[in-house]
Amino acid sequence: MTTITTQDLQALFVRIAEAIAREKDRLCELDGVIGDADHGIAMELGFAAAAKAVSELEPATADPTLVFNTAAKSFLNAVGASSGPLYATALMRAGAIAKGKSSLNDDDMVEIFSAFAKGIQDRGKAEIGEKTMVDAWAPAAAACRAARDQGSSLAESLATGLKAGEAGAEATKDMIATKGRSSRLGERALGHIDPGAASAVVVITCLRDHFMRYG
Ligand code: ADP
Ligand code: MG
């Protein structure tokens, strides 16, 4: 069993912030087509603030719950767009799964993935097929859980989850949005990937990459 410490989680948030910063322009361009062109900025502000706040925690005294709750609060404070409360809720749910644990194991991480995705769904009330980030997060979390239940390692389970998330994000091209800003576009949104689903793939890729070394 893998032992995931506060330091691992601090490094994970830095990794996500760096990856999102690299993808900022692409995410803004995607949002420019079907939204208001700020998704890359929102995600960069959110994860930069989360990574900074989390990095300032003392690993010897901060448990994983404090890491996730600190990230949630910083993300919410930094982001005015609709992705703010969605990711803040997801991060709070991750914190709740970690409650009382001084470190996390592989199963905790898979649980956190599920709770994270469910948090986004509960907060935004979007279902699969409505052209939102849920179209990436929900199938990714479900596939990760299914792989783990069949005996896959954490790294393999995350890789399986990533593949499902990528397929889910790609599928948003053929969807008409019924939630969020792009729902005003109707059929004009057809043919374009949802920016929130695209950024979800960036975050899930970081998860896969971060835990790959555990095998
Ligand atoms: P805003 O639309 O306020 O500018 P962002 O640009 O940061 O916010 O985020 C847009 C993304 O948020 C969309 O691409 C979509 O994936 C996601 N989104 C919007 N509304 C919802 C919702 N109700 N549930 C889940 N995701 C949503
Ligand atoms: Mg936007």
Side-chain angles (χ1 to χ4, degrees):
M1 272 281 183
T2 310
T3 302
I4 300 154
T5 62
T6 286
Q7 267 166 317
D8 287 322
L9 296 175
Q10 288 172 311
L12 173 63
F13 277 101
V14 170
R15 181 189 285 264
I16 296 171
E18 287 173 354
I20 289 286
R22 281 195 299 274
E23 301 286 344
K24 175 183 162 187
D25 291 347
R26 181 175 69 91
L27 297 172
C28 281
E29 277 162 28
L30 290 174
D31 198 27
V33 181
I34 64 165
D36 57 354
D38 68 347
H39 187 60
I41 296 167
M43 291 294 285
E44 190 197 28
L45 283 173
F47 275 109
K52 181 171 185 291
V54 156
S55 299
E56 285 165 0
L57 295 172
E58 180 51 59
T61 51
D63 63 9
T65 290
L66 184 61
V67 173
F68 286 117
N69 290 351
T70 300
K73 205 190 291 176
S74 325
F75 200 103
L76 189 63
N77 288 340
V79 178
S82 45
S83 41
L86 294 167
Y87 271 94
T89 304
L91 289 162
M92 290 296 289
R93 296 286 178 88
I97 298 292
K99 200 160 175 58
K101 299 173 196 273
S102 56
S103 65
L104 305 174
N105 63 29
D106 313 57
D107 290 325
D108 296 329
M109 225 41 231
V110 174
E111 282 301 310
I112 281 173
F113 199 156
S114 293
F116 198 95
K118 186 158 185 310
I120 289 172
Q121 248 183 309
D122 288 348
R123 187 69 179 82
K125 304 272 181 284
E127 299 293 335
I128 287 176
E130 293 193 288
K131 200 180 182 91
T132 71
M133 60 176 80
V134 167
D135 288 299
W137 277 110
C144 178
R145 163 69 65 87
R148 182 70 187 160
D149 287 348
Q150 281 163 25
S152 296
S153 69
L154 175 61
E156 287 164 352
S157 304
L158 290 171
T160 303
L162 173 60
K163 279 204 195 96
E166 283 169 340
E170 192 60 30
T172 63
K173 269 189 184 170
D174 301 324
M175 294 174 191
I176 293 172
T178 40
K179 287 276 185 327
R181 209 174 283 281
S182 54
S183 59
R184 297 171 204 162
L185 287 183
E187 292 198 355
R188 278 179 292 154
L190 279 176
H192 305 288
I193 284 200
D194 175 66
S199 63
V201 168
V202 176
V203 176
I204 299 164
T205 302
C206 289
L207 276 174
R208 192 274 317 262
D209 290 350
H210 199 66
F211 294 106
M212 206 151 51
R213 63 202 154 107
Y214 295 121

